[in-house]
Amino acid sequence: MPEMNHADIRGRWALVTGASRGIGRQVAMGLASHGCNLILHSRQTSGTDELAEELRETGVSVRQVMAELDDQNQVDRLIAECGPIDILYNNAAIMTRYTPEWLSTPAEDFRSSFEVNTISVIRLCHGFLPHMIESGWGRIVNVTSGIQEQPELLAYSISKGALDKYVTDIAPSLAEKGVLVNLLDPGWLRTDLGGPNAPNSVESVLPGALEPVLVNDGTAGKLFRAQDYR
Ligand SMILES: NC(=O)c1ccc[n+]([C@@H]2O[C@H](COP(=O)([O-])OP(=O)(O)OC[C@H]3O[C@@H](n4cnc5c(N)ncnc54)[C@H](OP(=O)(O)O)[C@@H]3O)[C@@H](O)[C@H]2O)c1
């Protein structure tokens, strides 16, 4: 049974982008443990084969989808292929290379970072929002970053900063319609993106990463910090 003040997500459908590894894999496992059905995204469906099998054994329904989020045609196809969903967990992202000579950050780093981390995330929101609004219930979690004062990673950090602004601007009007849009800062974790020197294990993202999905008191436009719930 869901905890008091938590939404009951049993039987709901969630799309988790970047579910093949790292934080997305944990989020998918966490949602399934609450009885939520999953659409697992990665760049190749084979990337989520093992996880899909594992989750099906827990009794939830699972679908697998693929898309390169650097390509807006593939984003459009992904939205059409998924159909209506209740929960969108925008987790997939790329981190551009560490550039000590940051005044020379190549234009391509800004382009690729904004394409995957900002534009595709926003377009996924816009693709799935109409059904959520119509049904009067929805949850969107956009994964951001607590990264600060590291100009060497500027192309990455400002793509996340734009996402933060997007969420704070759209959240209030959508909350009135039962659709809660929030941000998650997972903390610095040992994943392919976070690297081996991060202080936190990937598992430490749970249970905090589920809070912006389970939230049931109208909270929207908030930055949830996963490490606060350990
Ligand atoms: N790890 C940290 O310390 C940390 C800190 C702050 C924020 N974050 C954020 O947390 C989220 C997850 O990070 P992570 O550490 O779990 O990353 P990760 O281990 O590198 O996993 C990235 C996931 O995103 C998918 N992905 C990457 N580029 C893609 C693209 N161009 N098109 C489609 N899918 C793509 C990957 O799919 P494939 O397997 O198919 O490549 C994979 O499933 C990201 O938004 C990241 O910015 C992470």
Side-chain angles (χ1 to χ4, degrees), residues 13-179:
W13 276 96
L15 167 64
V16 180
T17 65
S20 52
R21 50 198 166 95
I23 292 164
R25 190 174 199 280
Q26 295 295 315
V27 166
M29 286 161 53
L31 291 172
S33 74
H34 285 264
C36 188
N37 299 320
L38 268 308
I39 304 179
L40 305 174
H41 158 268
S42 66
R43 279 184 280 203
Q44 300 291 331
T45 46
S46 57
T48 56
D49 279 351
E50 200 186 299
L51 177 63
E53 203 178 310
E54 213 176 287
L55 297 185
R56 283 188 189 109
E57 279 168 17
T58 72
V60 300
S61 299
V62 181
R63 292 170 55 198
Q64 294 164 264
V65 291
M66 63 185 274
E68 168 55 67
L69 298 180
D70 194 29
D71 177 346
Q72 295 307 318
N73 290 325
Q74 295 199 30
V75 173
D76 290 339
R77 186 199 31 79
L78 175 64
I79 293 165
E81 194 180 330
C82 288
I85 56 168
D86 309 297
I87 299 161
L88 170 60
Y89 214 111
N90 271 317
N91 161 78
I94 52 164
M95 187 162 74
T96 43
R97 78 200 95 157
Y98 190 86
T99 310
E101 300 296 329
W102 56 269
L103 289 178
S104 307
T105 304
E108 172 54 21
D109 285 11
F110 291 106
R111 190 208 63 77
S112 59
S113 191
F114 272 84
E115 194 84 48
V116 176
N117 301 352
T118 315
I119 299 171
S120 290
V121 170
I122 290 171
R123 295 194 68 249
L124 286 169
C125 292
H126 294 184
F128 294 115
L129 271 168
H131 166 75
M132 294 183 191
I133 294 167
E134 198 183 308
S135 71
W137 197 94
R139 297 287 183 272
I140 296 181
V141 184
N142 289 339
V143 179
T144 186
S145 168
I147 194 167
Q148 276 185 43
E149 297 176 12
Q150 286 199 66
E152 299 85 355
L153 290 171
L154 205 56
Y156 169 73
S157 63
I158 65 174
S159 72
K160 294 291 190 179
L163 206 52
D164 298 351
K165 172 69 173 155
Y166 168 73
V167 168
T168 52
D169 280 8
I170 67 164
S173 60
L174 290 169
E176 289 167 14
K177 299 175 170 70
V179 181

